[in-house]
Every structure is written in structure tokens, then in C-alpha cells.
Amino acid sequence: MEIIIAIVLLAIITSFAIPKFNIITYNSNLSILKSELSLVQNALIEQKSKNILLSNSDEITNLDDAAINKKDEKLFTNIINFSIISTDSNERKVGKWVKISQNSYEYFLLASKTISFSLEDEKIICKSVEEICKEIE
């Protein structure tokens, strides 16, 4: 009887702990996304300013030379001095970026939730649901 009571208590405690853990994971990955996105956006602004000051008419058309949808690629290397390592769409590692096309990226916020981004007019634009895009701004 005591074992059954202990198992029931453990199940009850676990049922409260797992949703809290998911919220903590979501919030920490959201913070990481916000900081990495800010770094990329600031680097784009800095590169654009350099191009203007140097009278260089080159537009920023790609952020890196990484392979599309490949794990362990270095992303955003054309604009930042350090690399953000990618995952692929099969692995879908939470808290990581994946390069979808030449100018499109996704970030895996949770295993079931991705946020899409695209390079347009020398800016990173959120292409996901409006509410999540507002949350990361």
C-alpha cells in the first residue's frame, strides 16, 4: 500500500514539474534567440554603415557560405566574427538554427515550434505567426 501511495505522489509531482520545465526551456530558448537575433541585426546595420562610409555600393545578399540544411555548419559568418553552429531539419535540435535556403533560416524554439526568418532588404525579417514575431522584437 505504501508503495502505491509513493508512486501516486511521484506521478502527481511529475505532472506539475514537466509543464514547468517546458516553460523554463521555452523562455531560455527565447532569450537565446533574442540575443542571437540582436547580434545578427546589429552586425547587418554595422556592415551596411561600413558600405556607406566606404562608398561601397555592394548590397548584403547572403549572411554566410554555409550549406543548406546541414548540421554543424557555421552560420552568419559573413557579418559576425564568431559562428553560430547549425542543426538540420531532421535532427531539429532545440535552441539551434537551420539554414533553409540561401536567405532563409529557421530557429527551433521547441521540438514542435519553429520560427522562420528571411534576409530581405539587408534586414532579418520574421516570417512566422505575428504573435511570436512580436514576442521576439
Side-chain angles (χ1 to χ4, degrees):
M1 186 68 164
E2 291 174 7
I3 293 174
I4 293 174
I5 293 172
I7 292 172
V8 169
L9 285 174
L10 232 76
I12 291 171
I13 292 170
T14 304
S15 69
F16 286 109
I18 290 175
K20 294 289 183 187
F21 179 74
N22 285 340
I23 291 170
I24 291 168
T25 302
Y26 176 85
N27 288 335
S28 67
N29 287 334
L30 189 62
S31 295
I32 292 169
L33 170 62
K34 286 179 181 180
S35 69
E36 289 177 347
L37 192 58
S38 292
L39 288 171
V40 170
Q41 288 173 335
N42 288 335
L44 279 168
I45 291 168
E46 183 180 332
Q47 187 65 41
K48 192 174 178 181
S49 297
K50 280 183 188 177
N51 287 346
I52 290 170
L53 289 172
L54 296 172
S55 299
N56 186 353
S57 62
D58 290 343
E59 244 183 64
I60 301 168
T61 56
N62 65 345
L63 301 176
D64 54 51
D65 299 322
I68 295 171
N69 196 23
K70 189 172 179 192
K71 183 179 171 183
D72 297 330
E73 289 286 307
K74 295 179 179 181
L75 301 178
F76 312 118
T77 54
N78 291 352
I79 57 168
I80 57 177
N81 294 330
F82 61 93
S83 57
I84 297 173
I85 306 299
S86 70
T87 186
D88 61 16
S89 58
N90 292 331
E91 183 182 38
R92 299 180 63 92
K93 190 170 181 183
V94 174
K96 295 283 189 176
W97 292 84
V98 63
K99 186 173 184 176
I100 300 301
S101 70
Q102 188 61 28
N103 293 321
S104 298
Y105 300 85
E106 285 185 350
Y107 184 83
F108 297 110
L109 195 57
L110 294 174
S112 61
K113 191 170 203 169
T114 61
I115 304 173
S116 300
F117 296 93
S118 180
L119 175 66
E120 296 177 7
D121 299 324
E122 298 181 327
K123 296 177 189 170
I124 292 286
I125 308 293
C126 180
K127 295 292 189 176
S128 292
V129 181
E130 186 176 340
E131 64 189 41
I132 191 70
C133 290
K134 285 186 178 187
E135 189 174 354
I136 60 173
E137 286 181 351

